[in-house]
Amino acid sequence: MADTVVDTVVDTVVDTVVDTVVDTAVDRGPVWAHVLPPGEVFSPASGGSLGTVAAELTREHARRGGATVIVAERGREHAPSGVRLVTYDSPGETLGERERREDDAAAARGERRAHYAGFVRPALEALPDGFAGPVVLHNAVAAVPELRRLRPRARICLYLHADMFRSFPPTERARVVADADLVVCVSRFVAGRFLDGTGLPLTAVAVVHNGHDPDRFHPASRPAGRVPVVLFTGRLAPEKGPMALVHACVALARTGAAFRLRLVGNAELSASSAPDRFERQVKHRASLLGDRVEFAPFVDRDAIGEVYRQADVLCVPSLCEDASPLVLTEGLASGLACLASSRGGVPEVGRDAVRYFDYRRPGDLARQLGRLVGEPPLRAELGRRAVRRGRELTWESRYRLLWSRLAEPPR
């Protein structure tokens, strides 16, 4: 797919929406629902991207008098302030290899995925009978036809947060686009991957990059002359690149560069999770940095803004094809000089406000990081660009893009 694609969403909000109130839902404003797949949590105490996006869009909806139904797995540590929480029983373990093969064969024949339909049915049946408002299905591609069958009056929005579904036959992905009222992808990268082979143009989906809350994420004054702080925040997982960053910092320290490295987070993005093997390996390697390095546990969504404001440089060293990293959007809004791997949807999120390193070139991360910690004018210029780009990526603007499409007349 071509890299240059027209963003298919519009910037205006439709002021009048179809009445979506049902007698079992909340009785104020337009009502929509977000369906979180098993394992996801609706709480600021979780750093998962799906729950964060649902929570931020819910908050923006409430600001405009709208009401939200959150459908999530029972028994998880949800914090449903200001919403109606509807829970469903856990469907148990994910599908086994035999069930997946049988579903794949059925999908290739144009039939429904019967095993997955049974797996997802408890979540979809938790929606109030007769629900006629927008239903946002997060990452649940195969749930679209089942929801259409169970709640035929619902306006279905499939919200794709990652490049996870190219193993689905192109014919099936094309059917899902036709069956849903709207498909949202968090980057053009994800949109191109999802539509690859379907014959559909990228205008068949909407692109809504992830955003930030300017009340939480905003610049701070940084004292001139202080030793710059390099920040990594998020999951301490191999694909997120913390080990690559530590290696680069060890090499940089050997040159005598002045900096501090702060790594905030853990493997599970939960304050209660214990260190896993990879996290212990990262800490062992980082011990070579001595007092230059600091590890801090996961910080929840309500407090993480201050972590950014205490840093000077944000590094997003992803080794995977990151779709639309929340940490990058938040770092931009916080006015940090941002350094990131040029993979996935990262370049379209950061544009020219981010300095990129080539993950294929050994030593390039250390070289680029060395420039940022050693050149205050370069950090200041990138910080100014970051603030400008951050202003374009608020959750308010993301909500407007999404709701303008959800409020369109049914097709």
Side-chain angles (χ1 to χ4, degrees):
M1 288 288 183
D3 289 331
T4 55
V5 186
V6 176
D7 192 333
T8 63
V9 292
V10 295
D11 292 325
T12 57
V13 177
V14 178
D15 291 325
T16 57
V17 296
V18 178
D19 180 13
T20 61
V21 178
V22 293
D23 54 1
T24 55
V26 199
D27 61 359
R28 63 180 183 85
V31 180
W32 66 352
H34 289 258
V35 178
L36 301 184
E40 294 293 333
V41 177
F42 187 79
S43 168
S46 171
S49 62
L50 274 68
T52 299
V53 171
E56 296 296 339
L57 292 174
T58 293
R59 184 172 53 82
E60 292 297 333
H61 193 54
R63 286 179 175 178
R64 291 156 184 81
T68 300
V69 175
I70 297 293
V71 180
E73 184 181 359
R74 182 175 290 114
R76 298 283 172 173
E77 296 180 359
H78 305 294
S81 176
V83 304
R84 177 185 177 190
L85 178 66
V86 178
T87 58
Y88 59 88
D89 290 329
S90 170
E93 296 294 325
T94 56
L95 301 183
E97 185 61 31
R98 179 183 62 81
E99 290 86 357
R100 287 196 295 270
R101 285 200 307 268
E102 290 177 356
D103 272 2
D104 287 344
R109 297 191 300 268
E111 301 170 2
R112 67 198 284 262
R113 292 177 177 265
H115 294 295
Y116 184 81
F119 179 78
V120 77
R121 189 176 298 120
L124 304 183
E125 289 181 337
L127 281 165
D129 288 336
F131 192 89
V135 177
V136 183
L137 291 174
H138 291 273
N139 268 2
V141 172
V144 170
E146 189 67 8
L147 178 58
R148 182 63 72 198
R149 185 181 71 83
L150 292 172
R151 299 292 183 265
R153 296 176 59 202
R155 187 161 171 74
I156 301 174
C157 171
L158 174 63
Y159 210 116
L160 298 179
H161 298 259
D163 173 31
M164 298 170 57
F165 304 102
R166 279 185 300 153
S167 62
F168 284 40
T171 52
E172 181 183 16
R173 286 181 271 127
R175 287 196 303 269
V176 166
V177 173
D179 206 19
D181 294 286
L182 177 66
V183 175
V184 172
C185 298
V186 297
S187 62
R188 290 189 289 272
F189 166 77
V190 171
R193 294 295 189 100
F194 184 70
L195 295 175
D196 189 28
T198 64
L200 296 172
L202 289 186
T203 52
V205 302
V207 174
V208 181
H209 297 110
N210 285 331
H212 70 89
D213 174 9
D215 291 335
R216 293 193 183 109
F217 303 100
H218 50 80
S221 60
R222 295 178 171 89
R226 79 173 181 183
V227 175
V229 174
V230 177
L231 175 66
F232 172 95
T233 182
R235 282 198 303 123
L236 287 179
E239 66 272 16
K240 294 299 183 180
M243 185 67 87
L245 175 58
V246 168
H247 285 314
C249 286
V250 169
L252 194 58
R254 288 170 177 161
T255 70
F259 69 93
R260 289 185 57 80
L261 173 62
R262 183 173 296 151
L263 297 101
V264 179
N266 50 30
E268 299 297 329
L269 290 182
S270 170
S272 61
S273 63
D276 65 0
R277 180 183 179 187
F278 179 73
E279 183 175 341
R280 292 193 296 270
Q281 291 172 339
V282 171
K283 290 180 176 178
H284 177 72
R285 178 63 178 174
S287 66
L288 295 174
L289 292 168
D291 62 3
R292 291 174 181 266
V293 66
E294 172 194 352
F295 284 85
F298 168 78
V299 176
D300 72 29
R301 198 161 57 240
D302 291 335
I304 191 66
E306 187 58 31
V307 171
Y308 287 97
R309 286 188 287 277
Q310 293 172 356
D312 301 277
V313 176
L314 173 70
C315 191
V316 185
S318 302
L319 302 180
C320 62
E321 303 286 11
D322 248 339
S324 182
L326 284 164
V327 295
L328 181 57
T329 306
E330 293 162 357
L332 291 168
S334 302
L336 297 182
C338 296
L339 176 64
S341 173
S342 57
R343 304 193 68 170
V346 171
E348 64 188 87
V349 174
R351 295 183 181 172
D352 68 350
V354 172
R355 194 169 187 87
Y356 301 97
F357 70 91
D358 188 343
Y359 63 92
R360 296 164 298 189
R361 294 174 56 196
D364 195 45
L365 173 54
R367 284 191 291 272
Q368 300 285 359
L369 188 58
R371 287 202 61 190
L372 288 183
V373 301
E375 300 181 25
L378 177 58
R379 289 202 305 273
E381 172 58 25
L382 285 172
R384 287 189 289 270
R385 293 185 190 181
V387 171
R388 288 196 295 270
R389 178 58 175 149
R391 292 192 188 112
E392 300 170 347
L393 294 171
T394 64
W395 280 118
E396 178 185 12
S397 68
R398 307 300 88 197
Y399 172 84
R400 288 178 180 273
L401 293 174
L402 176 61
W403 192 256
S404 67
R405 293 294 296 266
L406 288 177
E408 290 177 357
R411 60 190 186 188

